[in-house]
Amino acid sequence: MADLTVPSAPVIRSATTEAPATRIALVVAAFGFLSLFLFLPLVEVFLEALRNGPAAWLAAISEPDALAAIRLTLLVAAIAVPLNVVFGVAAAWAIAKFEFRGKAFLITLIDLPFSVSPVIAGLVYVILFGSGSLLGPWLKANGIEVLFAVPGIVLATVFVTFPFVARELIPLMQEQGSSEEEAALSLGASGWQTFWRVTLPNIRWGLLYGVLLCNARAMGEFGAVSVVSGHIRGLTNTMPLHIEILYNEYNFAASFAVASLLAGLALFTLLLKTLIELRFSGGLAPSRGH
Amino acid sequence: MDLRIKNVRKDFDLTPALHDVSLDIASGELVALVGPSGSGKTTLLRLIAGLEQPNAGTVYFGQDDASRLSVQDRQVGFVFQHYALFKHMTVLQNVGFGLTVRPRGKRPTAREINERARSLIELVQLAGFEDRYPSQLSGGQRQRVALARAMAIEPKVLLLDEPFGALDAQVRKDLRRWLRELHDVTGHTTVFVTHDQEEAMELADRVVVMSRGRIEQVGAPDAIYDTPASAFVHRFIGESVELPVYIEGGMIRLDGIAIPLSAADEPDGPAALVFRPYDVAIDEVDRATYPGIAATVVASRWHGRGRRLELAVGAGGHSMEIDLPPDVAPPVDSTLSVWPTRWTLYRPSGASLSHPTPAAAASMVSPIQQMAVAQ
Ligand SMILES: Nc1ncnc2c1ncn2[C@@H]1O[C@H](COP(=O)(O)OP(=O)(O)OP(=O)(O)O)[C@@H](O)[C@H]1O
Ligand SMILES: [Mg+2]
């Protein structure tokens, strides 16, 4: 035994002496790539937005069409995010805590919005609700507008952002199992009490994380929304669509001003996410051992 | 609250975890479930608690068919094998949980809940730990919190899944005695799982031995030890020696050689000869006068208060260990003649033949006396 451990020591040492150079090279490469492709463009957005001074920036984002776009974006997110929180929690719950046929299929289905191009998602809604579809005439007869109106935008956004909450929660809930829930039930708690007092507190950080990502995507979604919105200024333009219109009109300063709001949202989301992750590792990791 | 389990079957993914299990537990009884890992102990406990539904058969709580009672209605205190404490709650909140979720009318006031929880925490000797989180407790402390939490709801039935599994020997002993006293005071019907047969024998009114999803035997600890119903129970409870023998015309043969035990009227065929390590007599002097089983001493060492001999017996050199008084010390490599004084034959069919019968056993001369006679 003693003979074996002695020769193995130099091997380990030589393995670690080589690493720093490689490590530094990798870190530099990663940082270089990220700053070139992510950080520089982001800085550029803010520089362009403020090129004509803060007053012009303020004017660009408080102009009526811009305000309407901001309002619509907030409205869509305010509907889509809660819906996907409910769907996501329900789907994650079903997948993590029950055994049923077609579970693998359900998981695949949840991932569908990630694998399908958002434009196609939008087109599906056009086919589903357009005037040529089965539903179209009925909707028209009842005065319900889906396409080129807020409901269509909400539907497209819900579709695109569906996986965020569910994907975040499934591994978390699977890892936690259902023993705490069973304990709560055996102690006399009802299903609701168990959910609110045991399940939810256990998944709260993961849930918040999923909500943040879902929200960021809901506000930033372009492709699917672009197909169903109809680009009606002041009515069905969300912020990303508004930015595109301004840009196409060579109104770069205004375009970048609104873009800077979205970029700001992204930075804010990242900040919150980092804070949650710090909290996550500090608060949950030690208790995972048992 | 008496419990009746009638012909219960439970399958997981088509593989049965319990086959046709029936068991009656009287109100106020303390019952131990023992059996090897995977024998279905936890599954049986979960079926009683209502955390699992049987594929066939019924569980009765008193006169009520429990399939109509939800988990909450059954009012069982369940201590989980892996504690299942609420990670995000303090010890105090964990213990008080069962009271805080009661419907408004039946819920004690916050102060009463607090007091109840504190007194239970004191009972399990965790005073001072009220504000800790489960992750800040040792395994044994968590186990005690789980126990206090289950007792807080004043359950009609207490179900404990290896309640002392994570504890060191001393604490285990203390808690064992404590559980027995608690049971005697509260009179709860209690079922506990353990893989420590000693714990089961010491603590329980009745012991249920399980194997591969079936109940092998139910009985008082003494009865289980003295008259095991199957070779499995004989092997599982207490130490035993087992030799593969063949019965031919009422003679018992080991490796073809007849041994001086008779099984008159037994049909021919293979059997297992099983006996306790101390239920043997030996003759070191003259094999011819006492034709027992020929054995060679392989090793000899101290064991408890006596001597344990490791022997190679029969033509096949079967290894077996026997216990002898300390003053009998046959040297290693010497040959002996050995024969069991109390033994049971188990047939593959499930039938068994005990000799002498338990009633007669008391009048038998002890192995030591027999040896004196032999010499
Ligand atoms: N949820 C489940 N899904 C599939 N099989 C299961 C499940 N729970 C238990 N089993 C199987 O049922 C059998 C009995 O398991 P059980 O947990 O009751 O054993 P046990 O006697 O409590 O064992 P241990 O002493 O290891 O805790 C085992 O073969 C186990 O693999
Ligand atoms: Mg178990």
Side-chain angles (χ1 to χ4, degrees), chain B residues 12-13 17 35-44 52 81 161-162 195:
Chain B
F12 289 112
D13 310 325
S37 183
S39 56
K41 307 181 295 291
T42 299
T43 306
L44 183 56
E52 220 72 79
Q81 194 165 0
D161 200 349
E162 304 207 12
H195 57 235

Side-chain angles (χ1 to χ4, degrees), chain A residues 12-60:
Chain A
I12 291 169
R13 209 178 299 133
S14 73
T16 49
T17 45
E18 261 183 27
T22 324
R23 220 186 300 149
I24 289 168
L26 282 173
V27 169
V28 167
F31 264 110
F33 182 84
L34 284 178
S35 34
L36 198 64
F37 287 91
L38 291 175
F39 188 66
L40 279 183
L42 204 59
V43 171
E44 179 66 12
V45 167
F46 286 102
L47 285 180
E48 284 292 330
L50 292 169
R51 180 186 288 269
N52 300 338
W57 178 82
L58 202 62

Side-chain angles (χ1 to χ4, degrees), chain B residues 22 57-58 60 73 114 124 180 184 201 214 216 245 249 288 314 327:
Chain B
S22 295
T58 324
Y60 292 95
D73 294 336
N114 196 355
V124 294
R180 181 73 232 191
D184 293 343
M201 303 297 275
R214 291 177 207 280
E216 288 274 333
V245 294
D327 52 328

Side-chain angles (χ1 to χ4, degrees), chain B residues 112-128:
Chain B
E112 283 166 352
I113 293 176
N114 196 355
E115 275 167 16
R116 275 285 296 289
R118 279 180 195 278
S119 76
L120 277 167
I121 290 169
E122 216 158 286
L123 188 65
V124 294
Q125 293 156 22
L126 282 177

Side-chain angles (χ1 to χ4, degrees), chain B residues 17 20 56 85 94 110-111 151 224 248 255 258 261 263 308-309 328 336 338 348:
Chain B
D20 195 30
L85 296 179
N94 261 285
R111 238 194 64 210
M151 291 192 312
I224 297 231
E248 215 179 304
D255 299 329
L261 306 172
R308 171 156 290 190
L309 284 194
V328 186
L336 311 167
V338 188

